[in-house]
């Protein structure tokens, strides 16, 4: 999410979400912190404009429209379709207006005149922007690669970039995702060759797993299925929805007679079937994950199936993906994945493409965006190597303001710009404290002792009760839990004169100590003691 | 851990541990299930023999000696040193005898005559074995690569492999770790060039992070430091211990005057210092992790430091490693890591080396070992492509017995051969049930309501008490918890006639329902109700 502001006028490019790291326990997803925008009540937000339809660029739109109802949206047709689904599901369609544009169109956003231009990535209908400001032209690359043989035939708009360059570019803001990868990202077309090799030898069904939004990959597989006389079935709700929508919009070319309902694939022999499926990240609930553990309603992996995992593994998902692949092998499938064959290529530019973009655009200032800090640093190095003055290259993290005026561009102040965790209905109510508690619980569980004591004598009124989970296997822990009761009883008996609170903390301390000695584990331990 | 048995005689090769996956919550490490060996009380175990000193080949030795006290150990000098430390720490040195051998030596293990031979890997003193049995010779590769320019000058023992081949090899058991990687693993020597590039331009301190046991890497860095006139300091307990031991054994060549205590590095200018450190996997408690978050006792990252992360990232650790690198950049260091420069190479053979080993040894049967199922499958493919009959190639998971007799080799039965989780003192007491509970706790925490009611009237004797952790941020949850009390009170009031158990489950159900509606979270919920 990037905000451009001039005086009291502003607009937003993209509203993405991040997926939680493995140690952000229980977090569903992460949205940007836009408290700064809430505080700037003087700002008029003229619109949200999207580069493309991936989750990490659109996923937070419902949160943004909820916070700033009435803000209009601009998007290319496919992106508009994907965003519309989100807003409809959240009952927010009435709070915005979705305006469609095509690559090449100009969009009027208050004092900003924004020129869109076509870029290649791994989803159709992607654009970058030229943003006209009183202080110069800012080029915003969006996610891009320079694919000279794209599947849909739509080449990168080199002419527009050259034209920007001729007019003079104040600053380039460019995608850094693959900045540590030398060379040039291969074209989506090389995947076609790898697919052709796999289709040529496959004797049974072919199952291709990729992202539900990877429309160009779906088109590729459909073309291959047609070539080899196979029918195509789609498995997975989100992919089925996306295929329906993009076919209606004319963005996906699959003839009706080629499509087969996933529940009816057994009407055809295995060698006549291709199935497109979700679950390329090893998600247990998606199609591939269900197939790997035999929990899919319509499908079972059969000996002779060829399964192609055609997607980049998002960092952090490696274990799940590998485990899924192993399980599919276990069930008798032949699994093809990178590096066995190049069945996937990245949608992001590598170093040579980055150099090309910088040299095409010839900006005075350079701001690497998208990617971790290590990628921004590498991208900055490339820019400096390409001749941009090191003083004019800014490596900044979220929340740092970049200011431009007639004197040039410089670093501004830092505003709140961190992450906001979303967990269920809760937005931002789960923070470091809760996550830390979840870490402890994840490691060693918890144990609660409940007891009542006599107000006069201070004696236990009944045997204490223990509730514990995640600490020890209960069926084999009778003796240990009996000892915990003894430790507790001992503390109560020895401390008749203490206050309830004191008694409680003494008991908790003794039990923690006892449990650590016995088990070398530290479950969260609580005692509840009441008097009667 | 592999067991070879003939009649009532047996021996064991390696006793490794596995590191837990990210979703094996709270598990410290995983040891092999050797229940089968415990049950076979008729078996005499003549010894444990080690291929090399890495944790995934030695880490479970204390558990094995504990289970089978008196079993002798055979190991090369470095491996013996590493194993001895483990046994001493566990007070088990008296329960075994550690016999040292050198590559080339024969070891007499009951009816088995085992011939050792030198292999290259990423730790010195590695061996493979030729195991003479009445039914033929079995070659066991251990972890290996064919490094023709190893750092210590000790080449792979091609001659021994050729000799095995001439004598005729019944079965080859070979390392499959990199079976999906085409080509030939580069020599450790190419790392020298990458280091040279980094040392040439570094103007400040150089910090190199790798595994504590990566003795050949430590030697490389020491050589480089000498070449560039820098002093060497070691940071991290385990690495310091390993350096001390291997220098004493003459396996590591670092002159006394080159070594500097980590607490005294400030006595030299930054450009005269190299620091070797642990933490290459992003472990928060190791040196690099502490440097990244500013929590090291002696060291702080300074602007101008060059940090080289010289280790393969173990799958599952990617997020932690990347986060560590980003934080080091944030602190002003220049971080060099793969793929920025080839500052690390794998210690395992790739496909061409695997083909070479198979063709050198020319076995009748082939058993791919070490690696996930997907790697074993690929390795099996390579063997079949190399001319071994597909019927003679066995892809098996842990616990499957392979039988050999005068008629040849075949698949046997399956015996218990899974994983045993170690958590603190507990070996095997944490299983799927406890892990599942930890998963729920990690996601949504828990909530316990405690209340006493009047035996006669069934009314609450005081306001119920709530204990909750990992569910919601308590400081902002007053209202929600108040509502939970109301839900609970309502259930108690409406169900005076029910038994305590019934009341309890009704209350738990109502609270779960309420919390899910309000928060879309499902904390583990318990109610404790007592009568007075």
């Amino acid at each position: 999410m990037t905000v451009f502001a001039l005086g009291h006028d502003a607009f937003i490019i993209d509203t993405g979400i991040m997926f939680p790291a493995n140690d952000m326990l229980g977090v569903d997803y992460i949205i940007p912190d836009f408290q700064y925008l809430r505080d700037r009540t003087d700002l008029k937000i003229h619109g949200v404009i999207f580069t493309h339809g991936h989750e990490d660029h659109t996923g937070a739109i419902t949160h943004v429209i909820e916070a700033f109802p009435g803000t209009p949206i601009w998007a290319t047709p496919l992106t508009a379709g994907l965003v519309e689904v989100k807003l409809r599901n959240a009952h927010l369609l009435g709070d915005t207006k979705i305006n469609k544009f095509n690559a090449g169109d100009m969009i009027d956003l208050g004092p900003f005149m924004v020129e869109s231009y076509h870029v290649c990535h791994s989803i159709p209908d992607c654009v970058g922007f030229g943003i006209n400001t009183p202080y110069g032209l800012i080029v915003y690359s969006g996610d891009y690669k320079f694919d000279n043989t794209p599947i849909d035939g739509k080449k990168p708009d080199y002419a527009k970039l050259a034209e920007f360059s001729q007019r003079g570019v104040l600053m380039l803001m460019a995608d850094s995702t693959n900045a540590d990868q030398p060379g040039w990202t291969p074209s989506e077309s090389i995947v076609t060759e790898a697919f052709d090799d796999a289709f040529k030898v496959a004797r049974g069904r072919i199952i291709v797993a990729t992202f539900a939004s990877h429309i160009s990959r779906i088109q590729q597989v459909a073309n291959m299925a047609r070539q080899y006389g196979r029918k195509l079935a789609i498995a997975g709700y989100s992919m089925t929805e996306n295929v329906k929508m993009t076919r209606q919009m004319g963005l996906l070319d699959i003839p009706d007679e080629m499509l087969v309902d996933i529940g009816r694939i057994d009407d055809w022999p295995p060698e006549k079937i291709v199935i497109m499926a979700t679950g390329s990240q090893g998600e247990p609930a998606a199609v591939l994950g269900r197939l790997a553990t035999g929990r899919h309603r319509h499908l079972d992996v059969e000996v002779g199936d060829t399964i192609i995992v055609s997607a980049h593994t998002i960092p952090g998902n490696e274990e799940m993906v590998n485990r899924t692949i192993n399980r599919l092998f276990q069930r008798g499938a032949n699994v093809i994945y990178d590096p066995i064959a190049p069945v996937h290529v990245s949608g992001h530019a590598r170093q040579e493409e980055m150099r090309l973009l910088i040299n095409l655009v010839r900006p005075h200032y350079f701001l690497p965006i998208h990617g971790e800090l290590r990628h921004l640093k590498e991208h900055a190095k490339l820019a400096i190597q390409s001749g941009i003055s090191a003083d004019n290259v800014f490596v900044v993290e979220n929340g740092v303001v970049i200011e431009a005026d007639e004197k040039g561009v410089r670093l501004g102040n830092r505003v709140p710009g961190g992450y906001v965790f979303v967990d269920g209905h809760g937005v931002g109510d789960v923070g470091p404290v809760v996550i830390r508690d979840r870490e402890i619980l994840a490691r060693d569980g918890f144990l609660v002792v409940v007891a009542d004591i006599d107000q006069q004598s201070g004696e236990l009124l009944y045997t204490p009760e223990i509730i514990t989970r995640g600490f020890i296997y209960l069926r084999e822990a009778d003796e240990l839990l009996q000892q915990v009761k003894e430790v507790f009883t001992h503390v109560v008996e020895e401390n008749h004169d203490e206050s309830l609170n004191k008694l409680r903390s003494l008991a908790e301390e003794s039990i923690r100590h006892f449990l650590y000695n016995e088990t070398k584990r530290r479950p969260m331990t609580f005692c509840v003691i009441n008097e009667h």
Side-chain angles (χ1 to χ4, degrees), chain A:
Chain A
M1 176 167 173
T2 311
V3 177
F4 291 80
L6 181 68
H8 298 298
D9 299 290
F11 75 96
I12 297 167
I13 295 184
D14 291 346
T15 57
I17 56 168
M18 265 178 59
F19 299 101
N22 280 320
D23 58 355
M24 296 174 183
L25 298 171
V27 174
D28 296 333
Y29 58 94
I30 302 161
I31 62 172
D33 179 357
F34 40 82
Q35 188 57 40
Y36 170 77
L37 269 189
R38 286 186 209 262
D39 294 343
R40 285 285 307 266
T41 45
D42 63 306
L43 273 185
K44 173 165 174 52
I45 304 174
H46 290 276
V48 176
I49 182 165
F50 288 104
T51 58
H52 65 289
H54 280 154
E55 285 295 322
D56 55 335
H57 292 255
T58 62
I61 184 62
T62 54
H63 296 275
V64 172
I65 294 299
E66 227 163 19
F68 309 104
T71 307
I73 288 169
W74 273 265
T76 54
L78 172 59
T79 309
L82 292 165
V83 166
E84 191 179 323
V85 171
K86 279 181 211 305
L87 291 164
R88 182 179 302 119
N89 290 343
H91 310 289
L92 286 168
L93 265 185
D95 289 325
T96 180
K97 179 172 182 300
I98 304 181
N99 307 284
K100 290 184 192 170
F101 69 89
N102 288 303
D105 289 351
M106 305 271 266
I107 302 112
D108 209 337
L109 293 163
F112 300 97
M113 179 63 73
V114 177
E115 304 172 60
S116 65
Y117 67 95
H118 174 68
V119 303
C120 296
H121 182 45
S122 51
I123 182 172
D125 242 7
C126 291
V127 292
F129 299 118
I131 303 151
N132 293 284
T133 80
Y135 309 114
L137 180 64
I138 297 172
V139 176
Y140 188 98
S141 77
D143 285 4
Y144 80 100
K145 65 192 277 189
F146 283 123
D147 190 341
N148 288 316
T149 49
I151 297 303
D152 61 5
K154 292 183 184 161
K155 310 273 164 56
D157 194 347
Y158 296 112
K160 189 72 187 174
L161 292 168
E163 190 213 311
F164 285 151
S165 170
Q166 275 161 9
R167 277 151 56 187
V169 172
L170 178 69
M171 182 164 72
L172 170 64
M173 302 169 68
D175 173 15
S176 313
T177 308
N178 277 348
D180 57 4
Q181 307 281 328
W184 191 291
T185 299
S187 166
E188 294 282 319
S189 298
I190 78 144
V191 174
T192 306
E193 290 169 39
F195 274 34
D196 197 41
D197 290 344
F199 273 67
K200 212 176 284 168
V201 298
R203 292 287 158 267
R205 301 184 303 184
I206 296 173
I207 302 172
V208 181
T210 193
F211 292 106
S213 64
H214 201 335
I215 307 298
S216 22
R217 189 59 37 85
I218 298 172
Q219 182 69 65
Q220 252 175 317
V221 173
N223 296 350
M224 198 61 66
R226 182 156 22 177
Q227 188 183 323
Y228 282 88
R230 288 178 182 248
K231 300 283 177 190
L232 183 67
I234 311 289
Y237 176 75
S238 50
M239 193 180 274
T240 307
E241 290 294 294
N242 286 348
V243 166
K244 200 194 291 175
M245 184 188 69
T246 47
R247 285 182 74 217
Q248 278 165 3
M249 297 173 76
L251 288 162
L252 191 62
D253 173 26
I254 310 178
D256 284 341
E257 61 276 16
M258 230 186 94
L259 277 179
V260 172
D261 187 274
I262 190 69
R264 311 224 21 206
I265 50 170
D266 290 340
D267 297 355
W268 279 266
E271 70 274 13
K272 289 291 172 204
I273 287 291
V274 179
I275 301 161
M276 285 293 311
T278 56
S280 60
Q281 298 304 304
E283 314 93 307
V287 177
L288 207 61
R290 288 182 183 277
L291 287 177
T293 48
R295 292 176 298 109
H296 194 276
R297 244 176 344 137
H298 296 300
L299 280 175
D300 266 315
V301 174
E302 291 163 13
V303 175
D305 283 349
T306 300
I307 299 178
I308 303 175
V309 184
S310 178
H312 167 68
T313 301
I314 295 174
N317 294 347
E318 292 85 354
E319 274 181 357
M320 295 301 286
V321 172
N322 291 343
R323 195 181 296 170
T324 303
I325 291 172
N326 286 330
R327 285 181 174 153
L328 294 168
F329 269 123
Q330 228 168 12
R331 289 175 177 266
N334 182 29
V335 190
I336 300 175
Y337 59 98
D338 192 34
I340 300 281
V343 287
H344 174 71
V345 291
S346 170
H348 299 271
R350 290 194 189 155
Q351 291 180 350
E352 291 311 315
E353 292 157 277
M354 293 177 171
R355 291 195 168 101
L356 173 60
L357 179 64
I358 293 165
N359 289 335
L360 264 174
V361 168
R362 293 185 302 177
H364 289 290
Y365 295 90
F366 180 67
L367 180 63
I369 56 171
H370 303 336
E372 302 167 29
L373 184 56
R374 61 199 178 104
H375 302 125
L376 306 183
K377 288 268 185 187
E378 282 304 311
H379 205 179
K381 269 190 214 167
L382 294 176
I384 294 164
Q385 284 167 5
S386 302
I388 299 179
S389 154
D391 294 338
N392 289 359
V393 175
F394 308 105
V395 175
V396 299
E397 295 188 88
N398 289 336
V400 174
V401 175
I402 304 289
E403 293 174 344
D405 59 19
E406 52 287 319
K407 281 178 267 167
V409 179
R410 77 193 72 83
L411 277 182
N413 290 327
R414 203 174 177 120
V415 302
Y419 301 149
V420 174
F421 291 164
V422 180
D423 177 5
H425 276 174
V427 178
D429 66 336
V430 166
V433 175
V434 176
I435 300 278
R436 233 198 92 61
D437 285 347
R438 287 179 182 173
E439 271 172 24
I440 298 171
L441 291 168
R443 205 160 48 226
D444 290 328
F446 75 92
L447 183 138
V448 178
V449 183
V450 180
D452 286 350
I453 59 174
D454 185 276
Q455 208 158 4
Q456 264 75 48
S457 68
E459 312 229 317
L460 282 170
L461 289 171
Y462 51 84
T463 313
E465 179 168 351
I466 295 179
I467 297 176
T468 179
R469 288 293 186 283
F471 163 49
I472 204 158
Y473 188 46
L474 288 177
R475 292 198 175 183
E476 293 164 2
D478 279 354
E479 196 187 323
L480 186 79
L481 296 186
Q482 189 51 44
Q483 290 172 310
V484 170
K485 287 180 189 172
E486 283 161 22
V487 170
F488 178 85
T489 305
H490 185 74
V491 171
V492 170
E493 282 170 357
E494 296 290 303
N495 296 280
H496 279 173
D497 303 338
E498 298 292 354
S499 71
L500 273 186
N501 274 342
K502 178 74 181 167
L503 199 56
R504 207 162 160 153
S505 63
L506 283 172
E508 287 175 354
E509 207 176 295
S510 297
I511 292 171
R512 276 180 205 134
H513 190 74
F514 169 76
L515 291 177
Y516 183 72
N517 273 345
E518 289 294 310
T519 66
K520 288 280 178 290
R521 297 178 201 161
R522 300 184 190 278
M524 283 194 158
T525 301
F526 305 90
C527 294
V528 181
I529 307 173
N530 285 303
E531 283 181 334
H532 290 278

